[in-house]
């Protein structure tokens, strides 16, 4: 089964004015599609992996054959990260933004870890703003079940190190350059208006260890 572009839950223009329609269209139909095409080409060389979810491919990166390992890391990462990103976004006026605040379970965990939502938001934004070059900013549940904020280079996914992404922000210039040019900080500030906190809560609940 080849990997395919997931359906978007909104139209390209629905994230305006925070993310413009043209950026959404190119980002989704060109950039994301290219990651998928390259991943499919690599997996075609090793069809024994074709039924693996992209997350499983990344979580088991060291057992991926060497001749395709870097492609899986970069393009599989690109596919996983973008599929994740589209889902944690929603139109600013949607009820899913939950008044631009985390929902109850994640909110409690954020307060426990970072003292307040404001401190969390500042820390996440600072990590995103100070990231050098292309990459992603993340809130993850790490392997010790702690919430952690960090950034990754290129298309490196938290799954590579066993962490589970809860919230993520694309820091590649292709994500914002048409509208914001060099003003990455404005794009990062805009992001807080279009977060689907309902989905982020779901990510947090799913990340919890089962026992
Ligand atoms: Fe991107």
């Amino acid at each position: 089964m080849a990997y395919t572009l997931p359906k978007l839950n909104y139209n390209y223009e629905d994230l305006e004015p925070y993310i413009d329609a043209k950026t959404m269209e190119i980002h989704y139909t060109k950039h994301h599609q290219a990651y998928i095409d390259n991943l499919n080409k690599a997996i075609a060389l090793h069809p024994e992996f074709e039924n693996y979810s992209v997350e499983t491919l990344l979580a088991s990166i060291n057992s991926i054959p060497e001749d395709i390992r870097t492609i899986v890391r970069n393009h599989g990462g690109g596919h996983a990260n973008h599929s994740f990103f589209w889902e944690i976004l929603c139109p600013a006026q949607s009820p899913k933004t939950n008044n631009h605040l985390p929902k109850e379970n994640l909110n409690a965990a954020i307060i426990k870890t970072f003292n307040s939502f404001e401190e969390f938001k500042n820390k996440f934004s600072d990590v995103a703003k100070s990231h050098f070059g292309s990459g992603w900013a993340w809130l993850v549940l790490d392997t010790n079940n702690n919430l952690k904020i960090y950034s990754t280079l290129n298309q490196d996914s938290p799954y590579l190190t066993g962490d589970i992404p809860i919230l993520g922000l694309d820091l590649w210039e292709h994500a914002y350059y048409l509208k914001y040019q060099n003003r990455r900080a404005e794009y990062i500030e805009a992001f807080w208006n279009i977060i689907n906190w309902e989905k982020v809560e779901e990510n947090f609940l799913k990340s919890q260890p089962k026992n």
Side-chain angles (χ1 to χ4, degrees):
M1 272 291 283
Y3 299 94
T4 54
L5 205 54
K7 210 179 144 353
L8 284 182
N9 294 322
Y10 40 79
N11 299 314
Y12 300 140
E13 66 274 20
D14 290 350
L15 305 181
E16 295 262 13
Y18 304 104
I19 296 178
D20 62 288
K22 196 73 193 161
T23 295
M24 273 305 299
E25 184 184 350
I26 297 171
H27 201 173
Y28 173 72
T29 64
K30 305 290 186 201
H31 292 279
H32 190 170
Q33 185 66 58
Y35 294 121
I36 292 170
D37 293 345
N38 287 316
L39 176 62
N40 282 332
K41 272 187 233 158
I43 296 299
L45 300 172
H46 291 279
E48 67 271 28
F49 292 100
E50 67 184 10
N51 291 321
Y52 281 47
S53 73
V54 68
E55 292 81 9
T56 305
L57 287 177
L58 295 165
S60 38
I61 194 70
N62 292 326
S63 34
I64 302 296
E66 226 175 305
D67 61 322
I68 63 163
R69 195 178 298 157
T70 303
I71 298 176
V72 169
R73 178 175 178 163
N74 291 337
H75 296 273
H79 177 36
N81 293 343
H82 287 86
S83 301
F84 177 89
F85 188 49
W86 308 137
E87 290 215 316
I88 58 104
L89 298 176
C90 71
Q93 65 280 11
S94 163
K96 292 179 178 177
T97 61
N98 198 45
N99 292 321
H100 308 295
L101 291 169
K103 293 197 76 164
E104 53 178 328
N105 292 286
L106 177 60
N107 191 51
I110 281 177
I111 290 169
K112 198 170 154 208
T113 310
F114 304 102
N115 300 318
S116 69
F117 174 68
E118 278 310 306
E119 280 187 51
F120 157 73
K121 185 178 166 181
N122 289 339
K123 188 165 182 208
F124 186 99
S125 297
D126 287 346
V127 165
K129 284 175 198 164
S130 57
H131 181 85
F132 185 74
S134 295
W136 289 75
W138 300 103
L139 171 70
V140 303
L141 194 77
D142 74 5
T143 47
N144 297 317
N145 301 319
N146 294 318
L147 285 182
K148 207 184 251 179
I149 296 169
Y150 57 72
S151 62
T152 56
L153 284 169
N154 304 318
Q155 292 296 348
D156 280 357
S157 155
Y159 288 114
L160 291 171
T161 47
D163 297 341
I164 301 173
I166 293 169
L167 179 70
L169 176 60
D170 191 340
L171 300 174
W172 285 57
E173 286 186 346
H174 69 223
Y176 63 86
Y177 209 83
L178 280 182
K179 181 178 172 74
Y180 295 97
Q181 292 87 45
N182 61 321
R183 304 185 308 277
R184 186 193 265 184
E186 276 180 40
Y187 159 72
I188 292 164
E189 200 45 52
F191 169 62
W192 297 100
N193 294 290
I194 45 171
I195 296 175
N196 181 344
W197 285 111
E198 207 172 284
K199 180 66 190 177
V200 180
E201 175 86 350
E202 198 184 304
N203 292 341
F204 175 66
L205 293 176
K206 272 203 296 200
S207 75
Q208 296 300 299
K210 320 262 179 300
N211 50 23

